[in-house]
Amino acid sequence: MKVSPQISAKLATLIKEAIEKVQKLENEEVITDFHIQPNAETGEVIVFDDNDLELSKTSVEGYEELDKDEFSKLISEALIQELNKLKGAKAFDNLQLFRPFSFVLVDDDKESVRDLLVVDSDTVTMSGDELLKGLDDELDDFINKLLAD
């Protein structure tokens, strides 16, 4: 099942609102993670800071037939796409947050399920499947070249 363009737009807005809210905070609390919690029963996706302060929330309709794990996977994949688009648009370059900070998918108990994106220094690093994609092939090529010499 794919995420509709309307849901993708909602998730992009969700992330942007969370970032804007954090930048407007005038307290000296250090934020190191944006915790994103999808709820399959209600269709809500909520972003929290490290202190469980709700930063933004949206509702996702049309996926009621999915179970909790399927809904979570669908939302996490859509969030990764939206975070990559924002990364490409340099949305994280001027954030006044201590680095590294990350976007993390959490479950109902707010336990980390998956890192969606980690932002560190001048680089933005993708976590999860994209991080190690093709590594086996590169290592095999390296060893083959090394052994050939």
Side-chain angles (χ1 to χ4, degrees):
M1 178 172 267
K2 293 190 177 188
V3 174
S4 70
Q6 295 83 4
I7 299 303
S8 293
K10 280 186 169 189
L11 294 175
T13 301
L14 174 83
I15 296 165
K16 290 176 190 173
E17 286 174 356
I19 290 169
E20 288 171 10
K21 190 164 185 180
V22 164
Q23 290 209 281
K24 290 179 184 177
L25 294 176
E26 294 186 17
N27 58 19
E28 296 186 18
E29 305 229 2
V30 177
I31 295 180
T32 59
D33 293 313
F34 291 86
H35 303 273
I36 304 175
Q37 182 182 45
N39 185 323
E41 292 176 16
T42 63
E44 289 183 331
V45 181
I46 305 171
V47 180
F48 297 97
D49 70 5
D50 294 322
N51 300 312
D52 293 334
L53 173 70
E54 185 178 302
L55 300 172
S56 61
K57 175 171 46 173
T58 192
S59 289
V60 177
E61 302 88 22
Y63 303 97
E64 294 80 13
E65 71 279 358
L66 298 178
D67 69 20
K68 187 166 115 175
D69 291 336
E70 292 172 323
F71 183 75
S72 180
K73 183 176 180 182
L74 181 76
I75 294 299
S76 70
E77 295 301 323
L79 284 166
I80 288 172
Q81 288 178 353
E82 293 309 315
L83 288 165
N84 276 327
K85 287 178 189 174
L86 290 169
K87 174 184 75 169
K90 302 188 183 297
F92 308 118
D93 290 358
N94 296 321
L95 281 179
Q96 300 301 315
L97 296 176
F98 289 109
R99 294 173 193 254
F101 64 90
S102 60
F103 293 86
V104 180
L105 189 75
V106 297
D107 61 16
D108 295 337
D109 298 321
K110 296 193 178 144
E111 295 293 323
S112 295
V113 173
R114 180 179 187 184
D115 283 338
L116 302 172
L117 184 75
V118 178
V119 181
D120 188 12
S121 311
D122 295 331
T123 61
V124 178
T125 309
M126 193 60 204
S127 294
D129 301 337
E130 292 297 317
L131 184 63
L132 300 177
K133 192 174 194 177
L135 183 63
D136 285 339
D137 295 334
E138 289 179 30
L139 288 174
D140 288 343
D141 289 344
F142 174 75
I143 291 193
N144 288 335
K145 288 178 184 176
L146 190 62
L147 294 174
D149 291 336

